[in-house]
């Protein structure tokens, strides 16, 4: 299969610079060696203000840093926005795009996700593109339709060569921050659908593309989720704020990568 598991912690609007440095210091001490073996990719996505300090503290480790969003233009009159080249300059190498909180709370549409993804790729960042259905869509039997449409829209105009640098995060909206995760079987079903959709879009390279699961991943469910054949890691919210919990989830991915 050849896919290296990838676990990313999404800190959202949490952690001052001092708190962020303290958390990654713990990660560096516990995970630094494990990730060096090349069996897993690990990244954290602090708030913008803490990125540079976190990058500095993680120097010498294989733990990467991600932005939580970016603008689609490199620069301009866009008050409050951060561009992909700015993230890259600060040391980030990944960026989370189209997170359901961006979509639901800030009105981000697939078309915006697509131009942001292009901008991130241009800047040298590896995007993590989030998709996922709401509870209403799942109950109406529209999960695959919704996720398929989000993939079509969010990856519009992105060719196969660039797609190899994209990670997809399947995050059912009803599972994010609710404590209610998708069952491993439910998640695998959608991941297999996404893999098939990527194969239809990009051909053989889809087998090498990573698809993370996100939505209430915890140490207690990580092993079972990671055991699914099309789950290649996790995008972790709440549990990534606590070093022991994030490390335990990363270790579940390390086991999968062996
Ligand atoms: C997320 O925000 O991407 C997420 C998955 O959050 P949580 O793990 O808290 O459900």
């Amino acid at each position: 299969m050849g896919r290296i598991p990838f676990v990313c912690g999404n800190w959202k609007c949490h952690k001052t610079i001092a708190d962020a440095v303290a958390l990654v210091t713990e990660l560096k001490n516990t995970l630094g060696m494990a990730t060096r073996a090349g069996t897993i990719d690990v990244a954290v996505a602090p708030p913008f203000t803490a990125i540079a300090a976190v990058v500095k503290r993680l120097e010498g480790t294989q733990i990467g840093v991600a932005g939580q969003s970016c603008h689609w233009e490199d620069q301009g009159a866009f008050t409050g926005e951060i561009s992909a080249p700015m993230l890259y300059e600060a040391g980030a190498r990944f960026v989370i795009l189209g997170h359901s909180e961006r979509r639901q709370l800030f009105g981000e549409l697939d078309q915006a996700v697509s131009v942001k993804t292009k901008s991130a790729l241009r800047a040298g960042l590896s995007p993590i593109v989030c998709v996922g259905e709401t509870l209403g869509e799942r109950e109406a039997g529209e999960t695959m339709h919704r996720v398929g449409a989000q993939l079509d829209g969010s990856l519009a105009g992105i060719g196969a060569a660039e797609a190899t640098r994209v990670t997809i995060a399947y995050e059912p909206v009803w599972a994010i921050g609710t404590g209610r995760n998708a069952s491993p079987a439910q998640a695998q079903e959608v991941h297999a659908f996404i893999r098939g959709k990527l194969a239809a879009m990009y051909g053989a390279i889809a087998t090498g593309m990573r698809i993370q699961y996100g939505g209430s991943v915890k140490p207690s469910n990580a092993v079972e989720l990671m055991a699914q054949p099309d789950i290649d890691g996790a995008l972790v919210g709440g549990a990534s704020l606590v070093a022991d919990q994030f490390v335990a989830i990363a270790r579940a991915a390390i086991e999968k990568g062996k």
Side-chain angles (χ1 to χ4, degrees), residues 97 113-123 127 155-158 162:
L97 295 173
V113 181
S114 141
V115 285
K116 288 179 175 207
T117 302
K118 284 182 200 155
S119 161
L121 288 164
R122 263 197 323 273
L155 299 177
I158 287 145
E162 295 166 307

Side-chain angles (χ1 to χ4, degrees), residues 132-243:
E133 81 287 1
T134 63
L135 186 57
E137 287 162 346
R138 174 160 282 270
E139 287 174 348
E142 290 169 3
T143 297
M144 306 309 178
H145 176 75
R146 181 76 188 116
V147 168
Q150 286 177 327
L151 288 170
D152 280 332
S154 303
L155 299 177
I158 287 145
E162 295 166 307
T164 55
R165 286 167 49 209
V166 175
T167 295
I168 304 298
Y170 168 57
E171 299 208 300
V173 177
W174 47 271
I176 296 178
T178 59
R180 177 184 169 191
N181 62 287
S183 71
Q186 280 175 322
Q188 168 56 29
E189 186 187 20
V190 184
H191 280 236
F193 167 79
I194 292 172
R195 181 96 47 215
K197 177 86 187 160
L198 294 173
M201 295 167 84
Y202 297 119
I205 65 134
T207 48
M209 288 178 71
R210 294 186 288 195
I211 309 173
Q212 296 174 323
Y213 168 76
S216 298
V217 177
K218 304 179 274 280
S220 58
N221 59 25
V223 173
E224 232 192 325
L225 284 161
M226 237 61 95
Q228 303 304 307
D230 286 293
I231 297 184
D232 307 314
L235 184 55
V236 186
S240 72
L241 298 172
V242 183

Side-chain angles (χ1 to χ4, degrees), residues 6 25 60 72 78-79 86 89 95 109 116 147 156 176 205 215:
F6 179 23
T25 301
W72 55 80
F78 307 110
T79 302
M86 290 170 183
E89 185 198 26
V95 61
L109 302 173
K116 288 179 175 207
V147 168
I176 296 178
I205 65 134

